[in-house]
Amino acid sequence: MTTVAMAEKQVKMEERIVDIKNPVLSIQDLSIAYNKDKYAVKHVNADIKKNAITAIMGPSGCGKSTLLRAINRMHELYPDIVTEGKINLHDDDILKMSTIKLRRKIGMVFQRPNPFPTMSIYDNVIAGYKLNGIKLKRAERDEIVERSLRNVALWDEVKDSLMKKGTFLSGGQQQRLCIARALAFQPEVILLDEPTSALDPVATAKVEDLLVELKKDYTIVLVTHNMSQAARISDYSMFMYLGELVEYDKTKVMFTNPRDSRTEGYLTGKFG
Amino acid sequence: MKAQIELANQDNSSYRKLKDRIFFWFIVVMSVVTISPIVMIIGKLVVKGFRQFNFNFFTQTTPDTFEAMMAVSQGEIIPGGILNGITGSLLVVVLASVMAIPLGVIIGIYLYENQAKRYAGLIRSIADVLQGVPSIVLGLISYLWIVKHVTTGFSALAGSVSLCIMMLPLIIRSTEETMKMIPTSIKEAGLALGVPYYKIILRVLIPTGFSGLMTGILLAISRIIGETAPLMLTTLGSPVVNMNIAKPTSAVPLLIWEFYNDPNMVDLIWSSSLFLMGFVLTLNIISKRIAAKRRTI
Ligand SMILES: Nc1ncnc2c1ncn2[C@@H]1O[C@H](COP(=O)(O)OP(=O)(O)O)[C@@H](O)[C@H]1O
Ligand SMILES: [Mg+2]
């Protein structure tokens, strides 16, 4: 709770309302149902700030993943899904874009590290280009691989074994490899769904440091069910409960002065 | 204290030892019973077939019955070999595989993608029924379709169609099972990179499941390579090497049947069977190896 104590001093009343200028993403009255009339996400409104880490918190099953996956339309994997409302990337309606274009602008990292098991470390990083049949010169490819691996602080660890299978790496290294794979396209936004929940504390710390570093160049949306993680690294936090976005605020404000009793209950460990 | 433990041990020890011995011998006997047929079969084939197993056996076609009779009456080994059978089997199996593998893999992936659809259930049951159809019936069907109407005569193609139908359910099922074992997260990784779905199937799912697909295919091949009945009705047999898919063709199991019916060629039965058995065993071992080596998931 030291984070809370520290942040408490800085709270000012005018910070209580999130007013984000020139948002990268704008979620407008978004509702999503897997089955008819059983909504997993209900009337969510939120703007996402550029070059910041926005954390989505809430108890398990509250719709965090569903909301996150809607942002690059990975939720459409389920054929019966119903999506209402709008998400804008700058001024473009995401739901009207081609998923191929969209997913190159909005990358995603998953809960469990999922490098392609048949591919080398090198090929995993460049997979987005390779699988899409985008032709690159050897030098360009080398450059993208090196840049992406440096971005995730993995280059020094793997530069001598680039042709080894990605699955030979440790869990933490695999997850950073997956982040590098998402970065290779230089997307605008990176979505991460509980990226450290399968990692040990040391690997978790590395990924957290990395995300803080990456927000200089990218906009990051992070689902986490680990409150202290959100407190440590996020700039903005959302608290979701039963599909609703209960509270959305600057992280330090929400952790010190939650407006809603449900948020307070969650943050003080009453549930979740 | 120590004495007490010893006492406790002594109480049961004779009973336990007896139980242990009974189970030990039970397992030994059962293992011998299980293994002995295969050992006896291979032993018999090696002993009886080894004499004929020479260079000519693989490079020459079948002798005519007169040559064989002369050789046997002089106590020599039978001249000639089974080259026409080996090439015929290869031709028919390759043709059957060329048809069955792509079709089977595509249908298998379709079933995996559409798990719950009613249409998928129907295909699944058809595959199950197909697996139970006696192979001679498949030979008959191919005779009616291909021999009568397509090649208007016995042909390698007709044989391979009947074998293809035998391979299909095996490949369909093994493909579906293999695909089910690939974690969805791998598929999602591809989708999240904006890769179109068909490319994910071709360039992520199939390579990832390669060992499983390969194992299924090799087992299907080893299953059909010894088939005799459907070939009798379709490829008929041929004393010469034939590579024309529209012409009658020999095959190793067909030759074994022909040798069986010719008292002068009995010795060749054993060497041909040894060859076939060795081939099938090798395929099985290779498929096990692949499965063990490329278990990357
Ligand atoms: N594939 C699915 N089909 C039907 N319901 C689902 C599916 N995935 C998630 N749900 C439901 O949607 C709700 C939100 O799930 P999710 O977004 O995964 O929550 P979280 O990530 O916060 O744990 C849950 O009630 C869950 O049961
Ligand atoms: Mg989740």
Side-chain angles (χ1 to χ4, degrees), chain A residues 69 74 77 99-100 103-104 106 108 110 114-119 127-128 130-133 181 185, chain B residues 184-197 199-200 203-204 207-209 294 296-297:
Chain A
R69 291 163 72 93
M74 288 291 288
L77 220 65
T99 50
I100 295 173
R103 288 171 191 166
R104 284 176 204 177
I106 304 182
M108 185 159 218
F110 298 84
N114 54 357
F116 296 116
T118 53
M119 292 188 195
K130 237 183 119 181
L131 294 176
N132 278 303
R181 180 175 64 190
F185 271 135
Chain B
T184 0
S185 64
I186 301 291
K187 202 160 77 172
E188 288 184 332
L191 287 171
L193 291 170
V195 183
Y197 203 78
K199 280 192 186 163
I200 292 180
R203 306 181 66 172
V204 177
T208 305
R294 296 217 25 177
T296 40
I297 308 165

Side-chain angles (χ1 to χ4, degrees), chain A residues 64-65 111 193-194 223:
Chain A
K64 306 182 294 291
S65 298
Q111 193 163 352
D193 193 348
E194 304 190 20
V223 165

Side-chain angles (χ1 to χ4, degrees), chain A residues 4 40 55 67 90 92 100 104 115 130 132 138 151 189 205-206 209 217 238:
Chain A
V4 176
L67 174 62
H90 301 297
D92 299 324
I100 295 173
R104 284 176 204 177
K130 237 183 119 181
N132 278 303
R138 171 95 211 185
N151 268 335
V189 181
K206 273 192 185 158
D209 291 347
D217 300 312
M238 297 184 189

Side-chain angles (χ1 to χ4, degrees), chain A residues 20-25 47-55 89-90 187-190 211-221 233-236 248:
Chain A
I20 289 159
K21 296 204 174 56
N22 300 320
V24 178
L25 286 165
D47 289 346
I48 307 284
K49 190 169 162 63
K50 193 174 163 64
N51 295 106
I53 299 179
T54 304
L89 174 67
H90 301 297
E188 283 192 56
V189 181
I190 306 167
L211 293 179
V212 172
E213 198 58 36
L214 286 175
K215 78 175 180 187
K216 290 175 190 145
D217 300 312
Y218 304 92
T219 301
I220 294 172
V221 184
I233 64 171
S234 72
D235 303 291
Y236 289 84
Y248 179 27

